[in-house]
Coordinates of all heavy atoms in Angstrom, one line a residue:
M1 N 0.8 -1.2 0.0 CA 0.0 0.0 0.0 C 0.9 1.2 0.0 O 2.0 1.2 0.6 CB -0.9 0.0 1.2 CG -2.0 -1.0 1.2 SD -3.3 -0.7 2.4 CE -2.5 -0.9 3.9
G2 N 0.4 2.3 -0.6 CA 1.1 3.5 -0.6 C 0.7 4.4 0.6 O -0.5 4.5 0.8
F3 N 1.6 4.9 1.3 CA 1.3 5.7 2.5 C 1.7 7.2 2.3 O 1.9 7.9 3.3 CB 1.9 5.1 3.7 CG 1.2 3.9 4.2 CD1 1.6 2.6 3.8 CD2 0.1 4.1 5.0 CE1 0.9 1.5 4.2 CE2 -0.6 2.9 5.5 CZ -0.2 1.7 5.1
G4 N 1.8 7.6 1.1 CA 2.3 9.0 0.8 C 1.3 10.0 1.4 O 1.7 11.0 1.9
L5 N 0.0 9.6 1.4 CA -1.0 10.6 1.9 C -1.3 10.4 3.3 O -2.0 11.2 3.9 CB -2.3 10.4 1.1 CG -2.2 10.9 -0.4 CD1 -3.5 10.5 -1.1 CD2 -2.0 12.4 -0.4
V6 N -0.8 9.3 3.9 CA -1.3 8.9 5.2 C -0.8 9.8 6.3 O -1.4 10.0 7.3 CB -0.8 7.4 5.5 CG1 -0.2 7.3 6.8 CG2 -2.0 6.5 5.3
E7 N 0.3 10.5 6.0 CA 0.8 11.5 7.0 C -0.2 12.6 7.2 O -0.2 13.2 8.3 CB 2.1 12.0 6.6 CG 3.2 11.0 6.6 CD 4.5 11.4 6.0 OE1 4.8 12.6 6.1 OE2 5.1 10.6 5.3
A8 N -1.0 12.9 6.2 CA -2.0 13.9 6.4 C -3.4 13.3 6.8 O -4.4 14.0 6.8 CB -2.2 14.7 5.1
F9 N -3.3 12.1 7.2 CA -4.5 11.3 7.4 C -4.4 10.7 8.8 O -4.4 9.5 8.9 CB -4.6 10.3 6.3 CG -6.0 9.7 6.1 CD1 -6.9 10.3 5.3 CD2 -6.3 8.5 6.7 CE1 -8.1 9.7 5.1 CE2 -7.6 7.9 6.6 CZ -8.5 8.6 5.7
N10 N -4.3 11.5 9.8 CA -3.9 11.0 11.1 C -5.1 10.6 11.9 O -6.2 11.2 11.7 CB -3.2 12.1 11.9 CG -1.9 12.5 11.2 OD1 -1.1 11.6 10.8 ND2 -1.7 13.8 11.1
R11 N -4.9 9.6 12.7 CA -5.9 9.2 13.6 C -6.3 10.4 14.6 O -5.4 11.2 14.9 CB -5.4 8.1 14.5 CG -5.5 6.7 13.9 CD -6.8 6.1 14.1 NE -6.9 4.7 13.6 CZ -8.0 4.0 13.8 NH1 -9.0 4.5 14.3 NH2 -8.0 2.8 13.4
G12 N -7.5 10.4 14.9 CA -7.9 11.4 15.9 C -7.5 11.0 17.3 O -6.5 10.3 17.5
M13 N -8.2 11.4 18.3 CA -7.9 11.0 19.6 C -7.9 9.5 19.8 O -8.6 8.8 19.2 CB -9.0 11.6 20.6 CG -9.0 13.1 20.7 SD -10.2 13.7 21.8 CE -11.7 13.2 20.9
E14 N -7.0 9.0 20.6 CA -6.9 7.6 20.8 C -8.1 7.1 21.5 O -8.8 7.7 22.3 CB -5.7 7.3 21.7 CG -4.4 7.3 21.0 CD -3.2 6.7 21.8 OE1 -3.5 5.8 22.5 OE2 -2.1 7.2 21.7
G15 N -8.5 5.9 21.1 CA -9.6 5.2 21.7 C -10.9 5.4 21.0 O -11.9 4.8 21.4
D16 N -11.0 6.3 20.0 CA -12.2 6.4 19.3 C -11.9 6.1 17.8 O -10.8 5.7 17.5 CB -12.9 7.7 19.5 CG -12.2 8.9 18.8 OD1 -11.2 8.6 18.1 OD2 -12.5 10.0 19.1
D17 N -12.9 6.2 17.0 CA -12.7 5.9 15.6 C -12.7 7.1 14.7 O -13.0 7.1 13.5 CB -13.8 4.9 15.1 CG -13.7 3.6 15.8 OD1 -12.6 3.0 15.9 OD2 -14.7 3.1 16.4
G18 N -12.4 8.2 15.3 CA -12.4 9.5 14.5 C -11.1 9.6 13.7 O -10.1 9.1 14.0
Y19 N -11.2 10.4 12.7 CA -10.1 10.7 11.8 C -10.0 12.1 11.6 O -11.0 12.9 11.6 CB -10.3 9.9 10.5 CG -10.2 8.4 10.6 CD1 -11.3 7.7 10.9 CD2 -8.9 7.8 10.3 CE1 -11.2 6.3 11.1 CE2 -8.8 6.4 10.4 CZ -10.0 5.7 10.8 OH -9.9 4.3 10.9
E20 N -8.7 12.5 11.2 CA -8.5 13.9 10.8 C -7.9 13.8 9.4 O -7.0 13.0 9.2 CB -7.6 14.7 11.7 CG -8.3 15.0 13.0 CD -7.3 15.9 13.9 OE1 -6.3 16.3 13.4 OE2 -7.7 16.2 15.0
V21 N -8.3 14.7 8.5 CA -7.7 14.8 7.2 C -7.2 16.3 7.1 O -8.1 17.2 7.3 CB -8.6 14.4 6.1 CG1 -8.0 14.7 4.7 CG2 -9.0 13.0 6.2
A22 N -6.0 16.5 6.8 CA -5.4 17.9 6.7 C -5.8 18.7 7.9 O -6.0 19.9 7.8 CB -5.9 18.5 5.4
G23 N -5.8 18.1 9.1 CA -5.9 18.8 10.3 C -7.4 19.1 10.7 O -7.7 19.7 11.7
I24 N -8.3 18.6 9.9 CA -9.7 18.8 10.1 C -10.4 17.5 10.5 O -10.3 16.5 9.8 CB -10.4 19.4 8.9 CG1 -9.7 20.8 8.5 CG2 -11.9 19.6 9.1 CD1 -10.2 21.4 7.2
R25 N -11.1 17.5 11.5 CA -11.8 16.4 12.0 C -12.9 16.0 10.9 O -13.7 16.8 10.5 CB -12.6 16.7 13.3 CG -13.4 15.6 13.9 CD -12.5 14.7 14.8 NE -13.4 13.8 15.6 CZ -12.9 12.9 16.4 NH1 -11.6 12.7 16.5 NH2 -13.7 12.1 17.0
V26 N -12.8 14.7 10.6 CA -13.8 14.2 9.6 C -15.1 14.0 10.2 O -15.3 13.3 11.2 CB -13.3 12.9 8.9 CG1 -14.3 12.4 7.9 CG2 -11.9 13.1 8.3
K27 N -16.2 14.6 9.5 CA -17.5 14.3 9.9 C -18.3 13.8 8.8 O -18.1 14.2 7.6 CB -18.2 15.6 10.4 CG -17.9 16.0 11.8 CD -18.8 17.1 12.2 CE -18.6 17.5 13.7 NZ -19.6 18.5 14.2
C28 N -19.2 12.8 9.0 CA -20.0 12.3 8.0 C -20.9 13.4 7.4 O -21.5 14.2 8.2 CB -20.9 11.2 8.6 SG -22.1 10.6 7.4
S29 N -20.9 13.6 6.1 CA -21.7 14.6 5.5 C -23.1 14.3 5.4 O -24.0 15.2 5.1 CB -21.2 14.9 4.0 OG -21.3 13.7 3.2
H30 N -23.5 13.1 5.8 CA -24.9 12.7 5.8 C -25.5 12.9 7.2 O -26.5 13.6 7.4 CB -25.1 11.3 5.4 CG -26.5 10.9 5.4 ND1 -27.4 11.3 4.5 CD2 -27.2 10.0 6.2 CE1 -28.6 10.8 4.7 NE2 -28.5 10.0 5.8
C31 N -24.9 12.2 8.2 CA -25.5 12.2 9.6 C -24.6 13.0 10.6 O -25.0 13.2 11.7 CB -25.7 10.8 10.0 SG -24.2 10.0 10.6
G32 N -23.4 13.4 10.2 CA -22.6 14.2 11.1 C -21.8 13.3 12.1 O -21.1 13.8 13.0
G33 N -21.9 12.0 11.9 CA -21.2 11.1 12.8 C -19.6 11.2 12.6 O -19.2 11.7 11.6
E34 N -18.9 10.9 13.7 CA -17.5 11.0 13.6 C -16.7 9.7 13.8 O -15.5 9.6 14.0 CB -17.0 12.0 14.7 CG -17.5 13.4 14.5 CD -16.9 14.4 15.5 OE1 -16.3 14.0 16.5 OE2 -17.2 15.6 15.3
A35 N -17.5 8.6 13.8 CA -16.8 7.3 13.9 C -16.9 6.6 12.5 O -17.9 6.5 11.9 CB -17.6 6.4 14.9
F36 N -15.7 6.1 12.1 CA -15.6 5.6 10.8 C -14.8 4.3 10.8 O -13.9 4.1 11.6 CB -14.9 6.6 9.8 CG -15.6 7.8 9.6 CD1 -15.4 8.9 10.4 CD2 -16.5 7.9 8.6 CE1 -16.1 10.1 10.2 CE2 -17.2 9.1 8.3 CZ -17.1 10.2 9.2
D37 N -15.0 3.5 9.8 CA -14.1 2.4 9.4 C -13.3 2.8 8.2 O -13.9 3.4 7.3 CB -14.9 1.1 9.1 CG -15.4 0.4 10.3 OD1 -14.7 0.3 11.3 OD2 -16.6 -0.1 10.2
E38 N -12.0 2.6 8.3 CA -11.1 3.0 7.2 C -11.0 1.9 6.2 O -10.8 0.7 6.5 CB -9.8 3.4 7.8 CG -8.8 3.8 6.7 CD -7.4 4.2 7.3 OE1 -7.3 4.2 8.5 OE2 -6.5 4.4 6.5
R39 N -11.0 2.3 4.9 CA -10.7 1.3 3.8 C -9.7 2.0 2.9 O -9.7 3.2 2.8 CB -12.0 1.0 3.1 CG -13.1 0.3 3.9 CD -12.7 -1.2 4.1 NE -13.8 -1.9 4.8 CZ -14.0 -1.9 6.1 NH1 -13.1 -1.3 6.9 NH2 -15.0 -2.5 6.6
T40 N -9.0 1.2 2.2 CA -8.2 1.7 1.1 C -8.7 1.1 -0.2 O -9.0 0.0 -0.3 CB -6.7 1.3 1.3 OG1 -6.3 1.8 2.5 CG2 -5.9 1.9 0.2
A41 N -8.9 2.0 -1.2 CA -9.4 1.6 -2.5 C -8.4 1.8 -3.5 O -7.8 2.9 -3.6 CB -10.7 2.3 -2.9
Q42 N -8.1 0.8 -4.3 CA -7.2 1.0 -5.4 C -7.9 1.4 -6.7 O -8.9 0.9 -7.0 CB -6.4 -0.3 -5.7 CG -5.6 -0.8 -4.6 CD -4.5 0.1 -4.1 OE1 -3.9 0.7 -5.0 NE2 -4.4 0.3 -2.9
L43 N -7.4 2.5 -7.3 CA -8.0 3.0 -8.5 C -7.1 2.6 -9.7 O -6.0 3.0 -9.8 CB -8.1 4.5 -8.5 CG -8.9 5.1 -7.3 CD1 -8.8 6.6 -7.3 CD2 -10.3 4.7 -7.3
N44 N -7.7 1.8 -10.5 CA -6.8 1.4 -11.7 C -6.8 2.6 -12.7 O -7.6 3.5 -12.6 CB -7.3 0.1 -12.3 CG -8.6 0.2 -12.9 OD1 -9.0 1.2 -13.5 ND2 -9.4 -0.9 -12.8
T45 N -5.9 2.5 -13.6 CA -5.7 3.7 -14.5 C -6.9 3.9 -15.3 O -7.3 5.1 -15.5 CB -4.4 3.5 -15.3 OG1 -3.3 3.2 -14.5 CG2 -4.1 4.7 -16.2
A46 N -7.5 2.9 -15.8 CA -8.6 3.0 -16.7 C -9.8 3.7 -15.9 O -10.4 4.6 -16.4 CB -9.1 1.7 -17.2
G47 N -10.0 3.2 -14.7 CA -11.1 3.8 -13.9 C -10.8 5.2 -13.6 O -11.7 6.1 -13.6
A48 N -9.6 5.5 -13.2 CA -9.2 6.9 -12.9 C -9.4 7.8 -14.0 O -9.9 9.0 -13.9 CB -7.8 7.0 -12.4
T49 N -9.1 7.4 -15.2 CA -9.3 8.2 -16.4 C -10.7 8.4 -16.7 O -11.2 9.5 -17.0 CB -8.6 7.5 -17.6 OG1 -7.2 7.4 -17.3 CG2 -8.7 8.4 -18.9
L50 N -11.5 7.3 -16.6 CA -12.9 7.3 -16.8 C -13.6 8.4 -15.9 O -14.5 9.1 -16.4 CB -13.5 6.0 -16.5 CG -15.0 5.8 -16.7 CD1 -15.4 6.0 -18.2 CD2 -15.5 4.4 -16.2
F51 N -13.2 8.5 -14.7 CA -13.8 9.5 -13.8 C -13.1 10.8 -13.8 O -13.3 11.6 -12.9 CB -13.8 8.9 -12.4 CG -14.8 7.7 -12.3 CD1 -14.4 6.4 -12.1 CD2 -16.2 8.0 -12.3 CE1 -15.3 5.4 -12.0 CE2 -17.1 7.0 -12.2 CZ -16.6 5.6 -12.1
G52 N -12.1 11.0 -14.7 CA -11.5 12.3 -14.8 C -10.5 12.5 -13.6 O -10.2 13.6 -13.3
L53 N -10.0 11.4 -13.1 CA -9.2 11.6 -11.9 C -7.7 11.2 -12.2 O -7.0 10.8 -11.3 CB -9.7 10.7 -10.7 CG -11.1 11.0 -10.3 CD1 -11.6 10.0 -9.3 CD2 -11.2 12.4 -9.6
D54 N -7.4 11.3 -13.4 CA -6.0 10.8 -13.7 C -4.9 11.7 -13.1 O -3.7 11.3 -13.2 CB -5.8 10.6 -15.2 CG -6.5 11.7 -16.0 OD1 -6.9 12.7 -15.4 OD2 -6.5 11.6 -17.3
W55 N -5.3 12.8 -12.5 CA -4.4 13.6 -11.8 C -4.1 13.0 -10.4 O -3.1 13.3 -9.8 CB -4.9 15.0 -11.6 CG -6.3 15.0 -11.1 CD1 -7.5 15.1 -11.8 CD2 -6.8 14.9 -9.7 NE1 -8.6 15.0 -11.0 CE2 -8.2 14.9 -9.7 CE3 -6.1 14.8 -8.5 CZ2 -8.9 14.8 -8.5 CZ3 -6.8 14.7 -7.3 CH2 -8.2 14.7 -7.3
A56 N -4.9 12.1 -10.0 CA -4.8 11.6 -8.7 C -3.9 10.4 -8.6 O -3.6 9.7 -9.6 CB -6.2 11.1 -8.2
N57 N -3.6 10.1 -7.4 CA -2.8 8.9 -7.1 C -3.7 7.7 -7.4 O -4.9 7.8 -7.6 CB -2.3 8.8 -5.7 CG -1.0 8.1 -5.5 OD1 -0.8 7.1 -6.2 ND2 -0.2 8.6 -4.6
K58 N -3.1 6.5 -7.3 CA -3.9 5.3 -7.7 C -4.6 4.7 -6.5 O -5.2 3.6 -6.6 CB -3.0 4.3 -8.4 CG -2.6 4.7 -9.8 CD -1.8 3.7 -10.5 CE -1.4 4.1 -11.9 NZ -0.5 3.1 -12.5
S59 N -4.4 5.3 -5.3 CA -5.1 4.8 -4.2 C -6.0 5.9 -3.6 O -5.6 7.0 -3.6 CB -4.2 4.1 -3.2 OG -3.3 5.1 -2.7
A60 N -7.1 5.5 -3.0 CA -7.9 6.4 -2.3 C -8.2 5.9 -0.9 O -8.2 4.7 -0.7 CB -9.2 6.5 -3.1
Y61 N -8.5 6.8 0.0 CA -8.9 6.4 1.3 C -10.4 6.6 1.4 O -10.9 7.6 1.1 CB -8.1 7.2 2.4 CG -6.7 7.0 2.3 CD1 -5.8 7.8 1.6 CD2 -6.1 5.8 2.9 CE1 -4.5 7.6 1.6 CE2 -4.8 5.6 2.8 CZ -3.9 6.5 2.1 OH -2.6 6.2 2.0
V62 N -11.0 5.6 2.0 CA -12.5 5.6 2.1 C -12.8 5.4 3.6 O -12.3 4.5 4.2 CB -13.1 4.5 1.3 CG1 -14.6 4.6 1.3 CG2 -12.6 4.5 -0.2
L63 N -13.6 6.3 4.1 CA -14.1 6.2 5.4 C -15.5 5.9 5.4 O -16.3 6.6 4.8 CB -13.8 7.5 6.2 CG -12.4 7.9 6.4 CD1 -12.3 9.2 7.2 CD2 -11.6 6.8 7.1
A64 N -15.9 4.8 6.0 CA -17.3 4.4 6.0 C -17.9 4.7 7.4 O -17.4 4.3 8.4 CB -17.4 2.9 5.8
C65 N -18.9 5.6 7.4 CA -19.5 6.0 8.6 C -20.1 4.8 9.3 O -20.8 4.1 8.8 CB -20.6 7.1 8.3 SG -21.5 7.6 9.8
K66 N -19.8 4.7 10.6 CA -20.3 3.6 11.4 C -21.8 3.7 11.7 O -22.4 2.8 12.0 CB -19.5 3.4 12.7 CG -18.1 2.8 12.4 CD -17.4 2.4 13.7 CE -16.2 1.6 13.5 NZ -15.6 1.2 14.7
A67 N -22.2 5.0 11.7 CA -23.6 5.2 12.1 C -24.6 4.9 10.9 O -25.6 4.3 11.1 CB -23.8 6.6 12.6
C68 N -24.2 5.4 9.7 CA -25.2 5.3 8.6 C -24.6 4.7 7.4 O -25.4 4.4 6.4 CB -25.7 6.7 8.2 SG -24.5 7.7 7.3
G69 N -23.3 4.4 7.4 CA -22.7 3.7 6.2 C -22.3 4.6 5.1 O -21.8 4.1 4.0
H70 N -22.5 5.9 5.2 CA -22.1 6.8 4.1 C -20.6 6.7 3.9 O -19.9 6.6 4.9 CB -22.5 8.2 4.5 CG -22.1 9.2 3.5 ND1 -22.9 9.5 2.4 CD2 -21.1 10.1 3.5 CE1 -22.3 10.4 1.7 NE2 -21.2 10.8 2.3
L71 N -20.2 6.8 2.7 CA -18.7 6.7 2.4 C -18.2 8.1 2.1 O -18.7 8.8 1.3 CB -18.5 5.8 1.2 CG -19.0 4.3 1.3 CD1 -18.7 3.6 0.0 CD2 -18.3 3.7 2.5
E72 N -17.1 8.4 2.8 CA -16.4 9.6 2.5 C -15.1 9.2 1.8 O -14.3 8.4 2.3 CB -16.1 10.4 3.8 CG -17.3 10.8 4.6 CD -18.0 12.1 4.0 OE1 -17.4 12.6 3.0 OE2 -19.0 12.5 4.5
W73 N -14.8 9.8 0.6 CA -13.6 9.4 -0.2 C -12.6 10.5 -0.1 O -12.9 11.7 -0.2 CB -14.0 9.2 -1.6 CG -14.8 8.0 -1.9 CD1 -16.1 7.8 -1.6 CD2 -14.3 6.8 -2.6 NE1 -16.5 6.5 -2.0 CE2 -15.4 5.9 -2.6 CE3 -13.1 6.4 -3.1 CZ2 -15.3 4.7 -3.2 CZ3 -13.0 5.2 -3.7 CH2 -14.1 4.3 -3.7
F74 N -11.3 10.1 0.1 CA -10.2 11.0 0.0 C -9.2 10.4 -0.9 O -8.8 9.3 -0.8 CB -9.6 11.2 1.4 CG -10.6 11.8 2.4 CD1 -11.4 11.0 3.2 CD2 -10.7 13.1 2.5 CE1 -12.3 11.5 4.1 CE2 -11.6 13.7 3.4 CZ -12.4 12.9 4.2
L75 N -8.7 11.3 -1.8 CA -7.7 10.8 -2.7 C -6.3 11.4 -2.3 O -6.2 12.4 -1.7 CB -8.0 11.4 -4.1 CG -9.3 10.8 -4.7 CD1 -9.5 11.4 -6.1 CD2 -9.2 9.3 -4.9
Ligands
ZN101 ZN1 -23.1 9.0 8.7

């Protein structure tokens, strides 16, 4: 896995499931929840191009809200 972005993707306070991205606490845009499960998604080149994301790295971080299941994507 590539961890180039992970330095900006720090765990929040110990003991909870909160995350910070670029120094900002991640909140679910649907329900406002702050507990997430972290996933890593690999973006293949074809898919990245298809979605106009060929500027992006080939991996994305996905946070799945534990309360409602909404997915927050970070590239
Ligand atoms: Zn939510």
